[in-house]
Amino acid sequence: MTARAAPPAPAPFNPMLQEELSMTLHIRRATAGLMLSTALVAAPLAAQETAPNGDALAEDQTLTIRMLDEHTSLDPQLIEDVPGSDISRQLFEGLMVQDENGELEPGVAESYDVSEDGKTYTFHLREDAKWSNGDPVTAGDFVFAWQRAASPELASEYQWFIGLMSIVNADAVIAGEMPVEELGVTAVDDRTLEVRLSAPLPYFPQMTTHTTTFPAPQKVVEEFGDAWTQPGNIVSNGAYKLEEHVPNERVVAVKNDQYWDAENVIIDRFVTLVINDESQGLTRFLAGELDRTEMPAGQFPRMKQEHPDEAVSFPRLCNYYYTFNLSESGPEAFKDVKVRQALALAVDRDIVVNNILAGGQPPAYTFTPAATAGFTVPDVEMASMTQAERDARAKELLAEAGYGPDNPLSFTMLYNTSEDHQKIAVALSQMWKQKLGVQASLGNMEWQTFLDARSQQAFDLARGAWCGDYNEASTFLDLLTTPSGSNDGKYSNPEVDRLMLDARTAEDPQANYTQVEEIIAEEMPVIPIYHYAGVYMLDTDVGNWPVNNVEQNWYVKNMWKKAE
């Protein structure tokens, strides 16, 4: 693995940097020669007192970070949330990984070849890749995992992601019309994985950094079933292995000595603590218990002044929105587009981002963030209006829909446990009440219950957030297509489905993305609120946190703790 330099000192969010921070979509073939030659000559870091950039290393190499919620799963093919993905990325390794700037690097695959028609990828796996029990990682482990992810039997919430990858026969396998063995992935031999696509997909290699595509140890899965990821049972192939898991409290992972690049892994112990309260997280950070925590809403200006070297803000590839339940079980009122438009117009996003959050988050009038690589934010009417104009139009639309003092609109808005989510929900409900006379009741649920309610359409209006699975606009816009397993509001528009399908093979899909965003802005199946910034308290003794990676796919194996 190439030596990694520490990132520059973080600065507050600057939208002018977005082009520099975006990843290139047209990825050159990853070659292993330089990577391997560098790794082979590098001295074992365990025998050194300095990091690759010259930082003196702390004696205790333990990294402790806060998680807002308990992860839903550590099974790569079942993970559906950010906490699970963040932990799983340390325990497992896919074909490709990312560096601190979000660029692709070899993972289990040393290199890959692409056919002239762009429809066949051949990945060449490294010979020294092993599971934590010492077994070799083979191409068959990837075939098993990808077939498992697509299988109707597993019914993964991310089953649709395999279809999104355009793998041959994926849709038929997912629908149960073909056996999983017909999925277009083949182990040519133990070190060669062939993937056949139904159409060229320029960003396909990026998708192999996603947890759904991580390998799975077949004999362990079959031996322990649903319990295979529990401590004592789990076998993983990443830089770390699971030592302890106390549900809703903590996860502890330790260095995996079977990892192919273990000699260059500096952090010995990785700990995540579940702390639902942002203010408590900040208190525990300031007390020295945490190396990183998310900033409570509104605290960034003060923390930046009091702790300028530890308070950081940078662009994130995530959006924050509220989704309407448009299924048959949803409120009748939300089936009227005028109601949806009125509620969206009346949200003063500037108050949310400037007065409540105050961490550099940009207001959102489109679903896809501006930081997305290759994406040009289209002009939508709402964005060019003043808030007074939006409010006036909202009142007109709600009256045209038949709602007013004699027939007030009422519904429940749902969010998961979080002080920040509550602040935003309260602000939105007050805006709607004061401007439109709408009665929005607040409903709060813990994370897993919240996810279940959303997936079962047991809500009126629900908080949503999406962090890109890869750095391309389709990772956001595909969420609102009919087949998407994460389309909890059950919005369905055949034109959106067609445009997104055509975008997969378009030489320049931006025109398709512009049309989809315009349709969303008109039909308003969701209310975009803001696009994320990474607003953290980050201890200055943490080396090489990837602030320049807008996806925030971070790898503890690339970090270190500096001596104070």
Side-chain angles (χ1 to χ4, degrees):
M1 178 175 293
T2 52
R4 288 169 166 76
F13 171 66
N14 181 353
M16 296 301 292
L17 295 177
Q18 66 189 43
E19 293 186 4
E20 296 179 28
L21 298 174
S22 296
M23 292 195 307
T24 302
L25 281 180
H26 302 289
I27 301 163
R28 296 184 296 273
R29 187 177 73 169
T31 54
L34 178 59
M35 299 287 181
L36 290 179
S37 63
T38 305
L40 288 173
V41 299
L45 290 171
Q48 298 179 0
E49 295 182 355
T50 59
N53 73 331
D55 284 340
L57 296 176
E59 183 176 345
D60 182 9
Q61 289 294 324
T62 300
L63 181 72
T64 305
I65 71 169
R66 165 188 174 260
M67 294 286 185
L68 172 65
D69 298 296
E70 168 75 2
H71 58 268
T72 54
S73 177
L74 292 180
D75 183 330
Q77 280 73 61
L78 290 177
I79 291 169
E80 59 173 310
D81 58 358
V82 171
S85 296
D86 286 343
I87 297 170
S88 182
R89 200 179 304 114
Q90 320 315 321
L91 303 178
F92 297 89
E93 183 168 88
L95 294 169
M96 306 297 291
V97 297
Q98 294 179 0
D99 68 9
E100 58 268 26
N101 295 313
E103 301 292 346
L104 283 186
E105 288 189 335
V108 175
E110 291 180 321
S111 63
Y112 64 85
D113 302 302
V114 188
S115 62
E116 289 188 7
D117 63 2
K119 295 169 65 174
T120 301
Y121 283 79
T122 304
F123 292 90
H124 306 285
L125 277 54
R126 59 178 74 251
E127 293 184 3
D128 51 355
K130 295 180 181 179
W131 292 100
S132 53
N133 63 0
D135 290 346
V137 178
T138 69
D141 295 323
F142 285 92
V143 173
F144 170 71
W146 292 18
Q147 289 178 349
R148 185 170 176 260
S151 68
E153 289 75 21
L154 188 66
S156 168
E157 291 289 340
Y158 254 82
Q159 185 185 54
W160 60 274
F161 189 79
I162 297 297
L164 200 63
M165 295 173 77
S166 296
I167 300 174
V168 165
N169 296 332
D171 292 339
V173 170
I174 291 170
E177 298 167 358
M178 282 187 175
V180 293
E181 292 77 15
E182 294 298 320
L183 189 68
V185 288
T186 304
V188 178
D189 55 44
D190 283 351
R191 301 295 169 207
T192 310
L193 178 70
E194 181 183 88
V195 184
R196 300 180 305 283
L197 307 184
S198 57
L201 199 62
Y203 48 87
F204 177 80
Q206 288 178 260
M207 302 181 82
T208 67
T209 66
H210 193 268
T211 55
T212 304
T213 70
F214 290 175
Q218 184 170 358
K219 69 178 184 180
V220 179
V221 174
E222 293 176 346
E223 179 180 358
F224 295 105
D226 294 342
W228 82 271
T229 57
Q230 293 182 4
N233 299 342
I234 189 171
V235 172
S236 58
N237 74 315
Y240 297 87
K241 56 185 179 181
L242 184 65
E243 180 179 78
E244 181 185 16
H245 175 212
V246 180
N248 293 301
E249 186 175 329
R250 67 180 177 272
V251 167
V252 179
V254 296
K255 185 175 174 178
N256 175 15
D257 59 5
Q258 295 293 325
Y259 180 59
W260 64 270
D261 198 32
E263 67 177 11
N264 289 316
V265 175
I266 302 177
I267 298 291
D268 295 318
R269 190 176 181 86
F270 170 56
V271 181
T272 63
L273 301 179
V274 177
I275 305 172
N276 297 130
D277 186 273
E278 284 86 356
S279 296
Q280 183 187 4
L282 178 59
T283 298
R284 294 178 68 172
F285 174 88
L286 295 174
E289 296 179 38
L290 299 169
D291 293 306
R292 194 212 76 174
T293 186
E294 286 79 8
M295 192 84 68
Q299 292 297 310
F300 181 75
R302 180 172 71 89
M303 288 294 104
K304 191 64 178 175
Q305 182 176 13
E306 297 177 2
H307 304 274
D309 295 330
E310 295 178 316
V312 299
S313 176
F314 52 88
R316 286 291 313 277
L317 200 68
C318 304
N319 61 15
Y320 191 105
Y321 61 95
Y322 266 82
T323 184
F324 293 98
N325 181 359
L326 301 179
S327 71
E328 292 184 3
S329 64
E332 190 63 31
F334 290 167
K335 293 177 172 55
D336 189 333
V337 67
K338 292 181 179 179
V339 172
R340 304 196 300 270
Q341 290 174 339
L343 293 174
L345 284 161
V347 173
D348 191 332
R349 291 156 179 80
D350 288 338
I351 288 179
V352 173
V353 299
N354 295 327
N355 298 4
I356 298 176
L357 299 174
Q361 299 87 349
Y365 299 97
T366 59
F367 199 60
T368 307
T372 307
F375 177 71
T376 301
V377 178
D379 295 326
V380 294
E381 183 181 10
M382 187 189 301
S384 62
M385 300 169 70
T386 66
Q387 190 57 50
E389 291 171 337
R390 295 185 197 113
D391 292 345
R393 181 60 180 148
K395 293 175 183 177
E396 293 173 359
L397 288 168
L398 202 62
E400 290 173 9
Y403 294 96
D406 297 331
N407 183 31
L409 175 66
S410 62
F411 56 85
T412 298
M413 54 191 302
L414 192 64
Y415 61 92
N416 57 295
T417 303
S418 161
E419 182 182 351
D420 290 358
H421 298 333
Q422 183 181 31
K423 288 179 179 178
I424 294 172
V426 168
L428 265 56
S429 66
Q430 290 177 343
M431 291 174 191
W432 291 329
K433 182 177 182 179
Q434 293 169 4
K435 299 176 182 182
L436 305 176
V438 168
Q439 300 292 329
S441 303
L442 305 186
N444 170 46
M445 292 181 176
E446 63 85 22
W447 181 236
Q448 187 58 62
T449 305
F450 172 75
L451 289 178
D452 291 342
R454 262 193 357 197
S455 65
Q456 295 168 17
Q457 290 71 57
F459 68 92
D460 295 341
L461 184 71
R463 187 197 76 86
W466 192 257
C467 290
D469 292 324
Y470 49 94
N471 196 350
E472 210 270 346
S474 60
T475 191
F476 294 99
L477 298 178
D478 274 317
L479 192 70
L480 297 177
T481 60
T482 305
S484 171
S486 296
N487 181 358
D488 292 329
K490 297 304 175 187
Y491 170 67
S492 182
N493 182 310
E495 182 65 6
V496 168
D497 295 346
R498 183 192 67 78
L499 286 166
M500 291 309 300
L501 188 63
D502 291 347
R504 297 186 192 180
T505 56
E507 184 173 340
D508 181 3
Q510 177 61 43
N512 293 55
Y513 298 153
T514 295
Q515 290 183 62
V516 172
E517 288 283 7
E518 289 171 348
I519 292 172
I520 293 171
E522 178 65 27
E523 299 196 349
M524 207 61 69
V526 295
I527 305 175
I529 307 295
Y530 67 89
H531 294 140
Y532 277 44
V535 189
Y536 298 155
M537 291 298 289
L538 183 65
D539 199 317
T540 54
D541 68 0
V542 177
N544 209 35
W545 190 279
V547 294
N548 287 343
N549 184 338
V550 294
E551 291 179 72
Q552 276 301 279
N553 283 343
W554 43 268
Y555 302 83
V556 177
K557 69 185 181 76
N558 298 337
M559 303 179 197
W560 53 84
K561 296 292 288 296
K562 307 173 191 176
E564 296 185 358

